[in-house]
Amino acid sequence: MADLDHTELAASLERVFRLLRRISPPRDLSLTAASALRTLDQDGPHRLTELAGAEGVTQPAMTQLVSRLERDGLARRNADPADGRAVVVEITKAGRALLRHRREARVENLSHLLAALSPADAAAIAAALPAFDRLTDLLPQPREPHTQEP
Amino acid sequence: MADLDHTELAASLERVFRLLRRISPPRDLSLTAASALRTLDQDGPHRLTELAGAEGVTQPAMTQLVSRLERDGLARRNADPADGRAVVVEITKAGRALLRHRREARVENLSHLLAALSPADAAAIAAALPAFDRLTDLLPQPREPHTQEP
DNA sequence: TATTGTTATACTCTATAACTATA
DNA sequence: TATAGTTATAGAGTATAACAATA
């Protein structure tokens, strides 16, 4: 069995990152917007503060992001009956539809690449996916927000 | 041998992407800035237009990015003796040092996670890395620039 | 007094359009 | 006329600081 060189893995992940940028260019939705929308889709409505924490951005940044999502009809702010200060953010039907379209486009783009990959390589990747998922599950729950990006 | 479900792979890559965002938060350098700097580090000096194409951004965007890199002492513009219109961009020592520090920090962050991963999972990931690299090599050379991000 | 969210301000990063200088 | 690069302008996305409203 091959040994796992951390430096090699880090470099490889970086290349995977560029791969992802290519097969999923942020035409319609920024990465953070898409990620927040996915959180709302999979885990249901969230408070604005929770959402900011989950995505690793500040509260003001999330206020603005949610405002843009709301303006575009992808999410909705609701009052929290239990707490007059709070806001509960919810994904809309249009938001779900957009996520679905993005997923399909990504798979479509990937398929072209995969068709050119050797069966052995495809098998190696398939075998590693569960391990990758467990790796990401090891992530500590989000913490301090980033500084800038892209 | 496991079969490779494209939808599953796309979803998994997306999770890897979040993993990367976590282990490599863009504190000092944006993703595009880091990527451009890496290109200059690995492949040597480039014309501004080449760099824009390689990173998938427009020429004006690269003009500004290079200006910021230059302002921060990470890259340098040189005149092209062979073409009076052209500019050749080069990484500086400080630029290389910054890349090195980022790499080390990323490996450091990854190591903590990997220590908690089972040997079997680590082996599966190690076995898949070459396949991932071949997958990214299949990417067509960059084309139309993205629209926005973060 | 502490928490939730918003507003104000500033900077990065990106795009398109219009421009300058050289080939 | 075409190419390389810059400048002008606009908008997304982010941060910190200051604020309002509710708990």
Side-chain angles (χ1 to χ4, degrees), chain B residues 3-45:
Chain B
D3 196 18
L4 186 50
D5 180 324
H6 296 185
T7 305
E8 192 39 56
L9 174 57
S12 204
L13 285 181
E14 201 162 76
R15 288 189 287 271
V16 170
F17 170 77
R18 296 180 78 157
L19 167 68
L20 244 197
R21 283 221 306 189
R22 295 291 165 71
I23 64 170
S24 179
R27 305 197 181 290
D28 35 15
L29 225 46
S30 82
L31 284 171
T32 308
S35 187
L37 218 44
R38 246 178 282 130
T39 300
L40 293 174
D41 186 31
Q42 289 165 14
D43 305 340

Side-chain angles (χ1 to χ4, degrees), chain B residues 71-144:
Chain B
R71 179 204 57 193
D72 296 341
L74 305 174
R76 181 169 41 236
R77 274 181 175 90
N78 296 308
D80 183 341
D83 188 339
R85 301 167 302 177
V87 156
V88 179
V89 186
E90 188 182 5
I91 191 171
T92 62
K93 274 183 80 165
R96 290 186 202 277
L98 181 55
L99 284 184
R100 195 163 49 245
H101 290 147
R102 282 173 58 91
R103 253 178 246 126
E104 288 166 0
R106 204 166 39 232
V107 170
E108 165 77 5
N109 288 337
L110 250 189
S111 295
H112 288 129
L113 289 182
L114 292 173
L117 202 62
S118 79
D121 281 350
I125 290 177
L129 291 187
F132 269 114
D133 288 345
R134 278 189 283 276
L135 181 59
T136 54
D137 285 347
L138 290 176
L139 279 174
Q141 253 323 310
R143 49 322 86 255
E144 339 115 50

